[in-house]
PDB file of all heavy atoms in Angstrom:
ATOM      1  N   LEU A 385      -6.265  16.434 -15.708  1.00 87.00           N
ATOM      2  CA  LEU A 385      -7.045  17.632 -15.825  1.00 87.00           C
ATOM      3  C   LEU A 385      -8.063  17.642 -14.750  1.00 87.00           C
ATOM      4  O   LEU A 385      -8.627  16.648 -14.264  1.00 87.00           O
ATOM      5  CB  LEU A 385      -7.734  17.728 -17.160  1.00 87.00           C
ATOM      6  CG  LEU A 385      -6.816  17.800 -18.395  1.00 87.00           C
ATOM      7  CD1 LEU A 385      -7.659  17.589 -19.617  1.00 87.00           C
ATOM      8  CD2 LEU A 385      -5.939  19.036 -18.416  1.00 87.00           C
ATOM      9  N   LEU A 386      -8.317  18.952 -14.289  1.00 81.00           N
ATOM     10  CA  LEU A 386      -9.332  19.076 -13.209  1.00 81.00           C
ATOM     11  C   LEU A 386     -10.665  19.451 -13.686  1.00 81.00           C
ATOM     12  O   LEU A 386     -11.639  19.124 -13.141  1.00 81.00           O
ATOM     13  CB  LEU A 386      -8.824  20.191 -12.206  1.00 81.00           C
ATOM     14  CG  LEU A 386      -7.504  19.810 -11.410  1.00 81.00           C
ATOM     15  CD1 LEU A 386      -7.168  20.842 -10.501  1.00 81.00           C
ATOM     16  CD2 LEU A 386      -7.885  18.485 -10.593  1.00 81.00           C
ATOM     17  N   ASP A 387     -10.738  20.266 -14.798  1.00 63.00           N
ATOM     18  CA  ASP A 387     -12.021  20.683 -15.329  1.00 63.00           C
ATOM     19  C   ASP A 387     -11.806  21.028 -16.773  1.00 63.00           C
ATOM     20  O   ASP A 387     -10.686  21.060 -17.264  1.00 63.00           O
ATOM     21  CB  ASP A 387     -12.708  21.779 -14.570  1.00 63.00           C
ATOM     22  CG  ASP A 387     -11.826  23.014 -14.347  1.00 63.00           C
ATOM     23  OD1 ASP A 387     -11.189  23.435 -15.330  1.00 63.00           O
ATOM     24  OD2 ASP A 387     -11.744  23.564 -13.255  1.00 63.00           O
ATOM     25  N   ASP A 388     -12.871  21.552 -17.365  1.00 55.00           N
ATOM     26  CA  ASP A 388     -12.835  21.840 -18.822  1.00 55.00           C
ATOM     27  C   ASP A 388     -11.913  23.024 -19.177  1.00 55.00           C
ATOM     28  O   ASP A 388     -11.515  23.186 -20.317  1.00 55.00           O
ATOM     29  CB  ASP A 388     -14.288  22.080 -19.416  1.00 55.00           C
ATOM     30  CG  ASP A 388     -15.047  20.822 -19.483  1.00 55.00           C
ATOM     31  OD1 ASP A 388     -14.405  19.761 -19.491  1.00 55.00           O
ATOM     32  OD2 ASP A 388     -16.303  20.909 -19.565  1.00 55.00           O
ATOM     33  N   ARG A 389     -11.669  23.855 -18.108  1.00 49.00           N
ATOM     34  CA  ARG A 389     -10.746  24.987 -18.493  1.00 49.00           C
ATOM     35  C   ARG A 389      -9.283  24.534 -18.592  1.00 49.00           C
ATOM     36  O   ARG A 389      -8.552  25.201 -19.151  1.00 49.00           O
ATOM     37  CB  ARG A 389     -10.867  26.012 -17.413  1.00 49.00           C
ATOM     38  CG  ARG A 389     -12.194  26.643 -17.234  1.00 49.00           C
ATOM     39  CD  ARG A 389     -12.303  27.595 -16.040  1.00 49.00           C
ATOM     40  NE  ARG A 389     -11.873  26.895 -14.872  1.00 49.00           N
ATOM     41  CZ  ARG A 389     -11.611  27.549 -13.708  1.00 49.00           C
ATOM     42  NH1 ARG A 389     -11.741  28.825 -13.570  1.00 49.00           N
ATOM     43  NH2 ARG A 389     -11.297  26.856 -12.633  1.00 49.00           N
ATOM     44  N   GLU A 390      -8.975  23.387 -17.879  1.00 49.00           N
ATOM     45  CA  GLU A 390      -7.537  23.144 -17.794  1.00 49.00           C
ATOM     46  C   GLU A 390      -7.003  22.642 -19.111  1.00 49.00           C
ATOM     47  O   GLU A 390      -7.638  22.015 -19.953  1.00 49.00           O
ATOM     48  CB  GLU A 390      -7.356  21.935 -16.736  1.00 49.00           C
ATOM     49  CG  GLU A 390      -8.135  22.102 -15.507  1.00 49.00           C
ATOM     50  CD  GLU A 390      -7.659  23.345 -14.685  1.00 49.00           C
ATOM     51  OE1 GLU A 390      -6.769  24.007 -15.062  1.00 49.00           O
ATOM     52  OE2 GLU A 390      -8.182  23.617 -13.600  1.00 49.00           O
ATOM     53  N   GLY A 391      -5.696  23.012 -19.305  1.00 51.00           N
ATOM     54  CA  GLY A 391      -4.934  22.461 -20.470  1.00 51.00           C
ATOM     55  C   GLY A 391      -5.142  23.373 -21.737  1.00 51.00           C
ATOM     56  O   GLY A 391      -4.693  22.962 -22.715  1.00 51.00           O
ATOM     57  N   LYS A 392      -5.900  24.449 -21.623  1.00 48.00           N
ATOM     58  CA  LYS A 392      -6.148  25.276 -22.834  1.00 48.00           C
ATOM     59  C   LYS A 392      -5.352  26.581 -22.847  1.00 48.00           C
ATOM     60  O   LYS A 392      -5.793  27.600 -23.308  1.00 48.00           O
ATOM     61  CB  LYS A 392      -7.727  25.550 -22.852  1.00 48.00           C
ATOM     62  CG  LYS A 392      -8.480  24.296 -23.076  1.00 48.00           C
ATOM     63  CD  LYS A 392      -9.962  24.585 -23.205  1.00 48.00           C
ATOM     64  CE  LYS A 392     -10.785  23.374 -23.418  1.00 48.00           C
ATOM     65  NZ  LYS A 392     -12.174  23.557 -23.524  1.00 48.00           N
ATOM     66  N   GLY A 393      -4.110  26.513 -22.325  1.00 41.00           N
ATOM     67  CA  GLY A 393      -3.301  27.615 -22.372  1.00 41.00           C
ATOM     68  C   GLY A 393      -3.201  28.350 -20.984  1.00 41.00           C
ATOM     69  O   GLY A 393      -3.664  27.841 -20.001  1.00 41.00           O
ATOM     70  N   ASN A 395      -3.909  30.465 -17.919  1.00 47.00           N
ATOM     71  CA  ASN A 395      -5.149  30.872 -17.317  1.00 47.00           C
ATOM     72  C   ASN A 395      -4.900  31.168 -15.845  1.00 47.00           C
ATOM     73  O   ASN A 395      -4.579  30.246 -15.012  1.00 47.00           O
ATOM     74  CB  ASN A 395      -6.138  29.626 -17.328  1.00 47.00           C
ATOM     75  CG  ASN A 395      -7.546  30.016 -16.801  1.00 47.00           C
ATOM     76  OD1 ASN A 395      -7.716  30.968 -15.995  1.00 47.00           O
ATOM     77  ND2 ASN A 395      -8.543  29.298 -17.122  1.00 47.00           N
ATOM     78  N   GLN A 397      -6.657  31.791 -13.383  1.00 47.00           N
ATOM     79  CA  GLN A 397      -7.526  31.207 -12.413  1.00 47.00           C
ATOM     80  C   GLN A 397      -7.317  29.727 -12.258  1.00 47.00           C
ATOM     81  O   GLN A 397      -7.918  29.051 -11.480  1.00 47.00           O
ATOM     82  CB  GLN A 397      -8.986  31.475 -12.825  1.00 47.00           C
ATOM     83  CG  GLN A 397      -9.342  32.959 -12.918  1.00 47.00           C
ATOM     84  CD  GLN A 397     -10.728  33.170 -13.248  1.00 47.00           C
ATOM     85  OE1 GLN A 397     -11.307  32.435 -14.014  1.00 47.00           O
ATOM     86  NE2 GLN A 397     -11.390  34.235 -12.695  1.00 47.00           N
ATOM     87  N   SER A 398      -6.518  29.118 -13.184  1.00 61.00           N
ATOM     88  CA  SER A 398      -6.339  27.716 -13.141  1.00 61.00           C
ATOM     89  C   SER A 398      -5.226  27.290 -12.242  1.00 61.00           C
ATOM     90  O   SER A 398      -4.157  27.874 -12.193  1.00 61.00           O
ATOM     91  CB  SER A 398      -6.024  27.192 -14.621  1.00 61.00           C
ATOM     92  OG  SER A 398      -5.624  25.865 -14.606  1.00 61.00           O
ATOM     93  N   LYS A 399      -5.433  26.137 -11.529  1.00 53.00           N
ATOM     94  CA  LYS A 399      -4.334  25.630 -10.708  1.00 53.00           C
ATOM     95  C   LYS A 399      -3.351  24.874 -11.558  1.00 53.00           C
ATOM     96  O   LYS A 399      -2.268  24.556 -11.092  1.00 53.00           O
ATOM     97  CB  LYS A 399      -4.973  24.615  -9.674  1.00 53.00           C
ATOM     98  CG  LYS A 399      -5.881  25.240  -8.664  1.00 53.00           C
ATOM     99  CD  LYS A 399      -6.461  24.158  -7.710  1.00 53.00           C
ATOM    100  CE  LYS A 399      -7.405  24.806  -6.749  1.00 53.00           C
ATOM    101  NZ  LYS A 399      -8.018  23.813  -5.865  1.00 53.00           N
ATOM    102  N   GLN A 400      -3.670  24.561 -12.814  1.00 58.00           N
ATOM    103  CA  GLN A 400      -2.880  23.918 -13.628  1.00 58.00           C
ATOM    104  C   GLN A 400      -2.588  24.741 -14.978  1.00 58.00           C
ATOM    105  O   GLN A 400      -3.522  24.977 -15.698  1.00 58.00           O
ATOM    106  CB  GLN A 400      -3.466  22.543 -14.092  1.00 58.00           C
ATOM    107  CG  GLN A 400      -3.651  21.562 -12.924  1.00 58.00           C
ATOM    108  CD  GLN A 400      -4.390  20.332 -13.387  1.00 58.00           C
ATOM    109  OE1 GLN A 400      -5.470  20.467 -14.011  1.00 58.00           O
ATOM    110  NE2 GLN A 400      -3.861  19.156 -13.055  1.00 58.00           N
ATOM    111  N   TRP A 402      -0.739  24.180 -18.088  1.00 72.00           N
ATOM    112  CA  TRP A 402      -0.141  23.124 -18.795  1.00 72.00           C
ATOM    113  C   TRP A 402       1.005  23.659 -19.713  1.00 72.00           C
ATOM    114  O   TRP A 402       2.071  22.946 -19.885  1.00 72.00           O
ATOM    115  CB  TRP A 402      -1.017  22.301 -19.577  1.00 72.00           C
ATOM    116  CG  TRP A 402      -2.026  21.535 -18.639  1.00 72.00           C
ATOM    117  CD1 TRP A 402      -3.351  21.613 -18.555  1.00 72.00           C
ATOM    118  CD2 TRP A 402      -1.567  20.500 -17.831  1.00 72.00           C
ATOM    119  NE1 TRP A 402      -3.767  20.750 -17.588  1.00 72.00           N
ATOM    120  CE2 TRP A 402      -2.757  20.012 -17.165  1.00 72.00           C
ATOM    121  CE3 TRP A 402      -0.360  19.897 -17.526  1.00 72.00           C
ATOM    122  CZ2 TRP A 402      -2.748  18.993 -16.206  1.00 72.00           C
ATOM    123  CZ3 TRP A 402      -0.334  18.849 -16.562  1.00 72.00           C
ATOM    124  CH2 TRP A 402      -1.534  18.399 -15.953  1.00 72.00           C
ATOM    125  N   GLN A 439      -4.216  17.427 -22.183  1.00 91.00           N
ATOM    126  CA  GLN A 439      -5.300  17.931 -23.038  1.00 91.00           C
ATOM    127  C   GLN A 439      -5.351  17.197 -24.364  1.00 91.00           C
ATOM    128  O   GLN A 439      -6.450  16.836 -24.856  1.00 91.00           O
ATOM    129  CB  GLN A 439      -5.197  19.473 -23.237  1.00 91.00           C
ATOM    130  CG  GLN A 439      -6.441  20.075 -24.029  1.00 91.00           C
ATOM    131  CD  GLN A 439      -7.706  20.021 -23.119  1.00 91.00           C
ATOM    132  OE1 GLN A 439      -7.677  20.423 -21.987  1.00 91.00           O
ATOM    133  NE2 GLN A 439      -8.779  19.531 -23.683  1.00 91.00           N
ATOM    134  N   LYS A 442      -6.750  13.785 -23.928  1.00 94.00           N
ATOM    135  CA  LYS A 442      -8.210  13.931 -23.859  1.00 94.00           C
ATOM    136  C   LYS A 442      -8.865  14.080 -25.182  1.00 94.00           C
ATOM    137  O   LYS A 442      -9.880  13.421 -25.582  1.00 94.00           O
ATOM    138  CB  LYS A 442      -8.549  15.041 -22.906  1.00 94.00           C
ATOM    139  CG  LYS A 442     -10.141  15.204 -22.706  1.00 94.00           C
ATOM    140  CD  LYS A 442     -10.429  16.390 -21.778  1.00 94.00           C
ATOM    141  CE  LYS A 442     -11.869  16.538 -21.671  1.00 94.00           C
ATOM    142  NZ  LYS A 442     -12.278  17.678 -20.755  1.00 94.00           N
TER     143      LYS A 442
END
Side-chain angles (χ1 to χ4, degrees):
L385 297 170
L386 293 179
D387 57 45
D388 289 340
R389 296 175 306 170
E390 314 296 1
K392 297 183 178 178
N395 186 340
Q397 295 181 327
S398 172
K399 295 178 182 177
Q400 297 173 309
W402 291 113
Q439 188 66 49
K442 179 181 179 181

